[in-house]
Amino acid sequence: MKKTQKIDTFFKRKNSEDSSSQVNPSTSVDQLNSESRPGKSQRIEINEKFDIQALERDPGLRLPIWMCPVDKCDEVRRAYIKAGPYQCLLSKYPKSGEKHPRSFQASWFKLFPSWLEYSPSKDAAFCLPCYLFHTQDGPSGLHAFTTNGFRSWKKVRDGKNCSFLAHIGKDLTSPHRNAEKACSDLMNQQSHIAQHIEKFTSQEVVENRLRLRTSIEATRWLAFQGCSFRGDDESITSTNRGNFLELLSFIASFNDEVTKVLDKAPRNATYTSPTIQKQILQVLATKVKSAIREEIGDAKFCIIVDEARDESKKEQMSIVLRFVDRDDFIQERFFGVVHVKDTIASTLKEGIFSILSRHNLDVQNIRGQGYDGASNMRGEWNGLKALILDKCPYAYYVYCFAHRLQLALVASSKEVIPVHHFFTKLNSIINVVGASYKRNDQLKAAHASNIAHLLSIDELESGRGLNQIGSLQRPGDTRWSSHLKSISSLMRMFSATCEVLLNIIEDGTTPTHRGDADAAYEVMTSFEFVFIMHLMRKVLEISNMLCQASQLQSQDILNAMHLVTSTKLLIQKLRDSGWDELVSSVKSFCENVNISVPDFDAQYIARRGRARNQQDELTVGHHYKVDIFNAVIDSQLQELNNRFDDKAMELIVLSSSLDPKEMRISFRIDDICKLVEKFYPQDFADYEILQLRMQLEHFEHVQQLPDFRELESISDLCQWMVKTRKLDIYPLVFRIVTLILTLPVSTATTERAFSAMKIVKTTLRNKMDDQFLNDCLLVYIEKQIAKQFSIDSIIDDFRDMQERRSKF
C-alpha cells in the first residue's frame, strides 16, 4: 500500500535543503549573466545585523535587487537611497566608439542629480530608482539602466531625442517615475501601513525620544572618552552594571523626568540594550564619515596607511586621508580601520580601494601615498606603493619623515659598535634599576634628595614645572624620540641611579642581583659610557625638532624638507666645530659625579675598537674618541641622505619653486612648468598648461607686496592667496599649491590611531567585533566632528535604520 503523504510536504521549500543553490554574495553581475539565471527563491543571505558598509556602491558590480532576501529588500533599498546615486567624478572619462569616440560627461550629474549613476568598472550609466524597484520579470527596456548599463553617449546629445529624457518618459506613470514615487513612499515614514496599525500617542512619542536621547548622550560620552560600555554583570542586583547603565543612572539622578520615563519604560522599548548602543554608535560614525567625505568634495587627496596587530591578534589597517579642505586648510582625517587577513600588499590594496569606493572616492584622485619603510609597503615591484601606482600613476610615494629619522638613529646604533654597546648597556641599567617597585621608589627618593641638595646650594633654578621627579625611560626602535628621552632621563637622574645600584650591590637579596648591579655600576661610571651618552644626546637634540615638526598634521612637505636640510647642516656643523664644546661638557659632568677623565694627549692604543677596562681606558687618547664622534655623525648624515628615491627628490625640488623663501631668491618659472608637465599632467588641460606660463609671469610681481614678504611656507602662501582673493586671479597657481600641500609628510596620524586602538580595545575588550571597533575609533579620534551633530539629527538617522516609524 502506498504511503500517504502529509499535507506539509506540499508546502516544503524546494531549495531550503540545497545549500549549493545559494548565490555567493561576492558574485558579480557578469557572472550571473554568464550562468543560468537563478529562480526568485535563490537569494543571497544577508546577516541579521545588516551593515551598509557591506553594500557594493559601484552599479556595475552590485547584484540585482531581486537577489536580496524578501525581508531585507526594503532595508537594502533604504540604505541605497540614503547613500544617494553613485556619481563618480573623474578628471577624464574613457572614450568609446570607432569613428567618433565619445565619453560620459560629469555635467550630466547636474542635469539628472536624483537618479543618474556612473560605473567606472563598466564605463556605463545606471538609474538608481529603477535598479531599486526593478524585478526579474520587469520590462526588458529597463535592463540598460539597471543591469547591463547604458553607454551610447551619442544618443545623450540628441536634444529632444536624448536617451536620458526618453528613459524618464513623458507619461506620469512611466516605469522610471513609478520607481521614483516608490522611493519617495519608502522613505516617507508616515505613509507606511505600520503607521496605521500601530498607533502611538504624542505622550508616548515624547517619552520614547527622551529615553533615546538619554541613551545617545551616554553613548557619545563613553565613545568620546574611549571607555567600555558593558559590564560583567548588568543585572539589577549587580553593584556595578557597566559604564553605560551606570551613566544612565547618574544622568537620571539629576533629572526627575528622565527617571520617570526610564522606570516605566516597556521591556521592548528601553533603548539600553547592547544592540541599541552599537546602532547609535554606528549612526554617529556614519555621520562622521559623511562629514569627512563632504569636506573632501572633489579635491585631490593623499592616502596614509599603516598596519598593526590589535589586542585580539587581528591585523588592522589604519587609513588616513590628507587633503586641502574647502576652507583651504590642510586636513588629515582618520577614515577607519580595516581588518585584513594578512599584510600582503595586494590584500592591503583591495582593502583601501574597497573603502574608497564605498564612499564615492575615485582612486584616480589620489595624489600621494605615505607609508613607513616596510618592504610590503614601499616595494618597487610588488609593494603597496607599486600596486597603487599601477592604478593611479600620479599617486607619488613619500617616505614618512619620522620613520626616516628613527631608522637613521637605529642604523647608526647598529653600525657604530661602541654606540650599539652603549644602548645595550643602557637597557641593562634600566632593567636592573626598574626591576621592582621598591627600586623605583628608592630611585625617586634619591633623586628628590639630590634635587633638594642642589637647590640648597643654588645649582638649580626653582619654579613651576621645574625639577619634577620622574623615572628612567626605556628606548625603543619603533618609538619616535624614545632614545632621546631615555638618555635625558638617565643624565637627569645619574647620581640617583648610581646610588640605587650601590644599594643593590650591598643589600641585594641574591648573588645574581648583586652581580648585575655591580656590572651596571661599572659600566655607568666609565668615561666611554658618559662620552657616548653626551654625544648621542647632542645629535638627537638636533634631529628632535624635525621629528616633532614632522608629526604635525598641518605640516607641508617643503617645510619638512627645509627642516631636513637644517638638521643635516647642524649635524655637519657639530662634526666640524663641536668637538671642543662636547669634550668640555663631558669633562665637567665627570668631575661632578667623580668619574676619572682619561689623558687625551696619551698615545692611541687600538683594542678592537674599545678599551678593555678602566686602566686601559685611561690610556686611550684623543684619536679613539674622535673616531667614535665622526662615525656617529657620518652614519646619521648618510642615512638621512638615502631615504628618498630619485623621483621623489625631483618632485620635491621642483615643488620648492613655489616656496616663498625660494621665490624671494629666484622665481623659477621653468621648474614650475616642468612640475606640471611631468608630475601633474592629468590635473591640467592642454590649454591650461599653455596659459600657466603667462599666469606665472604675472604672479612673479606679487612678491613686491609687503604682506607677501612675511610668508614663510607654502601653507602660508595658500592661506594668503585665499585671504587676498588672489586665487581668483591666479587659479592655476593656486591649484599647483594645493597639489603640493596634499603630499604626505609622516604617518603620525595612523600611529595615533593605533594608540587609540590600545585604549579602546583592551585585554578586557578583546572580543569587540570589527565594525564596533571601527565605529568606536572613528568617533573617538574625530570627536571634534562628532560633537557638531545635534541629538535630533542622530535620532532621525537612528529611526531610519530600522522600521521604527512613528515611535519617535
Side-chain angles (χ1 to χ4, degrees):
M1 181 176 179
K2 188 177 180 180
K3 188 176 180 180
T4 306
Q5 289 183 319
K6 294 183 179 180
I7 192 170
D8 59 355
T9 60
F10 290 97
F11 298 95
K12 192 172 184 178
R13 293 180 182 267
K14 293 182 179 180
N15 67 330
S16 59
E17 302 88 10
D18 186 10
S19 60
S20 63
S21 65
Q22 293 294 336
V23 179
N24 188 347
S26 63
T27 305
S28 65
V29 176
D30 292 336
Q31 290 172 311
L32 286 176
N33 293 335
S34 63
E35 301 172 359
S36 59
R37 208 165 185 81
K40 291 183 180 180
S41 61
Q42 293 176 298
R43 298 174 181 271
I44 62 172
E45 293 181 352
I46 296 182
N47 294 333
E48 293 182 2
K49 297 179 179 179
F50 175 70
D51 179 13
I52 190 174
Q53 304 294 335
L55 290 177
E56 174 61 57
R57 292 298 312 280
D58 190 328
L61 300 177
R62 64 195 177 196
L63 291 173
I65 193 69
W66 48 264
M67 294 293 295
C68 296
V70 175
D71 59 335
K72 294 291 182 181
C73 279
D74 280 352
E75 199 169 347
V76 173
R77 290 181 177 121
R78 198 175 290 113
Y80 271 119
I81 294 172
K82 285 179 68 75
Y86 187 75
Q87 299 181 342
C88 186
L89 297 175
L90 305 180
S91 54
K92 289 183 180 179
Y93 292 89
K95 293 186 177 182
S96 59
E98 297 181 358
K99 294 184 179 179
H100 302 287
R102 290 179 171 83
S103 64
F104 183 88
Q105 301 297 314
S107 58
W108 295 341
F109 288 137
K110 297 181 180 179
L111 298 176
F112 309 99
S114 62
W115 62 269
L116 183 60
E117 296 185 298
Y118 176 78
S119 169
S121 61
K122 280 196 170 184
D123 182 31
F126 291 82
C127 174
L128 178 60
C130 292
Y131 159 75
L132 294 178
F133 291 92
H134 181 55
T135 60
Q136 186 179 6
D137 302 326
S140 59
L142 290 179
H143 290 331
F145 284 91
T146 55
T147 56
N148 300 332
F150 174 87
R151 56 179 63 85
S152 300
W153 311 128
K154 177 183 177 181
K155 296 181 180 180
V156 181
R157 303 171 183 244
D158 288 346
K160 294 182 180 180
N161 297 323
C162 171
S163 294
F164 287 171
L165 295 177
H167 170 71
I168 295 174
K170 298 179 180 179
D171 193 352
L172 295 178
T173 59
S174 68
H176 173 81
R177 295 183 187 275
N178 287 337
E180 285 189 323
K181 186 176 185 302
C183 289
S184 176
D185 291 342
L186 181 65
M187 299 304 290
N188 183 6
Q189 303 292 335
Q190 300 299 324
S191 64
H192 281 275
I193 298 176
Q195 170 70 17
H196 303 282
I197 296 177
E198 189 175 7
K199 292 289 184 179
F200 290 91
T201 65
S202 58
Q203 181 62 29
E204 288 175 325
V205 172
V206 170
E207 291 177 353
N208 286 338
R209 289 183 72 92
L210 183 56
R211 292 189 199 100
L212 183 58
R213 180 182 293 270
T214 308
S215 294
I216 291 174
E217 289 286 9
T219 302
R220 288 206 309 177
W221 190 91
L222 292 173
F224 291 162
Q225 302 302 319
C227 298
S228 60
F229 283 69
R230 303 190 63 184
D232 292 333
D233 182 5
E234 295 186 347
S235 62
I236 298 178
T237 58
S238 173
T239 57
N240 185 355
R241 302 179 65 195
N243 290 336
F244 180 80
L245 295 178
E246 293 293 340
L247 185 56
L248 283 183
S249 300
F250 178 76
I251 296 173
S253 65
F254 289 91
N255 192 318
D256 294 337
E257 189 175 354
V258 172
T259 304
K260 291 179 182 178
V261 297
L262 291 180
D263 289 343
K264 70 175 185 178
R267 295 184 62 182
N268 64 341
T270 58
Y271 305 112
T272 59
S273 68
T275 301
I276 295 295
Q277 298 167 29
K278 291 181 179 180
Q279 289 177 349
I280 293 173
L281 197 62
Q282 184 179 350
V283 168
L284 199 53
T286 302
K287 293 177 76 67
V288 170
K289 275 196 174 180
S290 299
I292 295 174
R293 179 63 186 88
E294 187 176 349
E295 271 188 327
I296 298 173
D298 302 332
K300 311 300 180 183
F301 59 92
C302 155
I303 57 172
I304 304 174
V305 179
D306 201 357
E307 88 279 343
R309 188 171 295 180
D310 64 17
E311 191 65 32
S312 60
K313 310 305 179 185
K314 289 183 177 181
E315 288 289 348
Q316 302 286 357
M317 177 176 62
S318 174
I319 300 177
V320 172
L321 302 182
R322 178 183 172 97
F323 56 93
V324 178
D325 65 13
R326 295 181 177 179
D327 295 325
D328 303 300
F329 286 96
I330 302 173
Q331 299 289 353
E332 284 188 4
R333 296 297 191 192
F334 173 71
F335 210 59
V337 291
V338 180
H339 170 51
V340 290
K341 59 183 180 181
D342 53 53
T343 56
I344 299 174
S346 58
T347 304
L348 300 181
K349 187 205 77 170
E350 291 302 323
I352 294 170
F353 283 13
S354 175
I355 195 171
L356 293 180
S357 174
R358 285 200 295 269
H359 294 87
N360 204 8
L361 289 167
D362 183 22
V363 175
Q364 298 300 321
N365 284 337
I366 301 177
R367 288 298 176 269
Q369 308 176 61
Y371 317 125
D372 59 14
S375 59
N376 66 327
M377 293 294 195
R378 63 183 181 93
E380 292 294 333
W381 304 107
N382 297 317
L384 180 60
K385 175 190 78 171
L387 295 179
I388 291 183
L389 280 173
D390 184 56
K391 294 292 184 181
C392 181
Y394 306 104
Y396 303 113
Y397 168 69
V398 177
Y399 201 138
C400 170
F401 278 73
H403 274 91
R404 287 178 65 211
L405 279 175
Q406 188 66 15
L407 289 175
L409 169 62
V410 173
S412 67
S413 66
K414 291 180 179 178
E415 292 176 4
V416 183
I417 294 177
V419 177
H420 176 70
H421 290 167
F422 166 78
F423 281 113
T424 302
K425 295 169 183 175
L426 177 61
N427 266 316
S428 177
I429 293 169
I430 295 174
N431 288 336
V432 172
V433 175
S436 66
Y437 294 110
K438 177 182 177 181
R439 295 179 189 178
N440 272 313
D441 291 340
Q442 291 177 354
L443 179 67
K444 292 179 179 180
H447 186 42
S449 177
N450 290 336
I451 290 175
H453 173 68
L454 293 175
L455 288 173
S456 64
I457 60 175
D458 296 330
E459 289 290 331
L460 285 178
E461 294 183 5
S462 60
R464 184 175 182 180
L466 299 177
N467 308 317
Q468 294 186 2
I469 300 173
S471 59
L472 297 179
Q473 299 190 30
R474 193 182 309 277
D477 288 352
T478 58
R479 295 201 301 271
W480 303 336
S481 301
S482 63
H483 290 73
L484 176 60
K485 293 177 181 177
S486 181
I487 292 173
S488 299
S489 66
L490 180 61
M491 291 183 65
R492 187 173 61 253
M493 308 177 72
F494 193 89
S495 298
T497 304
C498 290
E499 185 176 335
V500 172
L501 290 175
L502 289 173
N503 292 337
I504 298 173
I505 293 172
E506 295 177 0
D507 305 327
T509 56
T510 66
T512 302
H513 292 165
R514 293 193 294 271
D516 291 342
D518 184 71
Y521 181 78
E522 183 178 352
V523 166
M524 273 193 67
T525 54
S526 66
F527 180 82
E528 181 178 341
F529 183 88
V530 175
F531 174 80
I532 296 177
M533 180 173 64
H534 279 75
L535 171 60
M536 293 308 299
R537 189 184 73 163
K538 191 71 176 176
V539 173
L540 295 177
E541 282 179 343
I542 293 174
S543 61
N544 187 58
M545 181 177 178
L546 172 59
C547 184
Q548 297 300 322
S550 63
Q551 298 178 45
L552 299 175
Q553 292 186 359
S554 60
Q555 188 63 267
D556 63 83
I557 194 168
L558 296 185
N559 198 36
M561 282 304 298
H562 280 304
L563 288 172
V564 171
T565 303
S566 63
T567 298
K568 291 192 291 187
L569 289 174
L570 289 174
I571 293 177
Q572 185 64 46
K573 182 180 177 182
L574 176 64
R575 190 188 196 283
D576 296 338
S577 58
W579 169 258
D580 292 335
E581 182 182 351
L582 176 66
V583 171
S584 176
S585 62
V586 173
K587 288 181 177 180
S588 176
F589 183 87
C590 289
E591 291 174 0
N592 291 333
V593 294
N594 298 320
I595 294 178
S596 301
V597 178
D599 183 6
F600 274 62
D601 297 325
Q603 183 180 2
Y604 172 42
I605 301 175
R607 295 185 182 272
R608 295 186 182 180
R610 65 184 185 90
R612 289 296 184 187
N613 51 51
Q614 189 171 8
Q615 187 64 35
D616 287 341
E617 183 183 30
L618 296 178
T619 65
V620 175
H622 173 80
H623 298 287
Y624 175 68
K625 307 303 180 189
V626 171
D627 287 346
I628 298 176
F629 177 78
N630 292 337
V632 169
I633 295 177
D634 290 344
S635 64
Q636 287 277 316
L637 291 174
Q638 182 179 359
E639 288 296 323
L640 286 175
N641 287 328
N642 292 339
R643 295 296 174 179
F644 274 126
D645 58 27
D646 295 338
K647 190 171 185 179
M649 280 306 303
E650 184 181 8
L651 172 61
I652 294 171
V653 169
L654 293 176
S655 300
S656 66
S657 306
L658 280 170
D659 189 332
K661 296 178 181 178
E662 296 287 335
M663 290 171 62
R664 286 193 283 268
I665 299 174
S666 174
F667 189 50
R668 307 192 304 271
I669 295 179
D670 291 339
D671 283 356
I672 300 174
C673 294
K674 184 179 178 181
L675 173 68
V676 172
E677 293 171 0
K678 185 171 184 178
F679 290 95
Y680 297 111
Q682 192 174 7
D683 298 305
F684 294 84
D686 294 339
Y687 72 92
E688 290 179 326
I689 294 177
L690 295 176
Q691 293 176 355
L692 177 61
R693 182 172 293 274
M694 181 57 65
Q695 199 169 114
L696 288 170
E697 291 176 357
H698 283 283
F699 187 74
E700 184 176 8
H701 296 284
V702 303
Q703 301 178 64
Q704 309 302 324
L705 298 176
D707 51 351
F708 184 88
R709 299 172 186 174
E710 300 176 0
L711 304 180
E712 295 294 329
S713 67
I714 194 168
S715 300
D716 295 339
L717 175 62
C718 180
Q719 293 301 311
W720 178 80
M721 292 186 71
V722 174
K723 182 180 178 181
T724 59
R725 307 301 301 171
K726 291 291 189 295
L727 64 90
D728 297 330
I729 304 174
Y730 308 104
L732 300 181
V733 178
F734 185 75
R735 193 184 307 171
I736 303 172
V737 170
T738 56
L739 287 171
I740 296 173
L741 287 175
T742 303
L743 292 172
V745 176
S746 79
T747 60
T749 307
T750 60
E751 298 291 344
R752 295 187 186 101
F754 291 136
S755 298
M757 186 168 66
K758 292 180 181 179
I759 297 174
V760 172
K761 190 169 186 177
T762 61
T763 304
L764 297 176
R765 305 177 72 191
N766 61 4
K767 294 183 180 180
M768 293 176 67
D769 61 72
D770 295 331
Q771 183 62 48
F772 188 39
L773 173 63
N774 180 70
D775 294 340
C776 286
L777 286 176
L778 197 61
V779 176
Y780 176 72
I781 296 173
E782 299 295 346
K783 64 182 69 175
Q784 293 300 324
I785 297 178
K787 288 180 179 179
Q788 300 173 5
F789 306 125
S790 65
I791 299 293
D792 290 334
S793 67
I794 298 174
I795 291 176
D796 292 340
D797 288 354
F798 177 80
R799 176 190 60 199
D800 294 339
M801 277 186 65
Q802 303 290 337
E803 297 182 6
R804 295 189 170 94
R805 316 293 187 243
S806 59
K807 293 181 182 179
F808 303 103

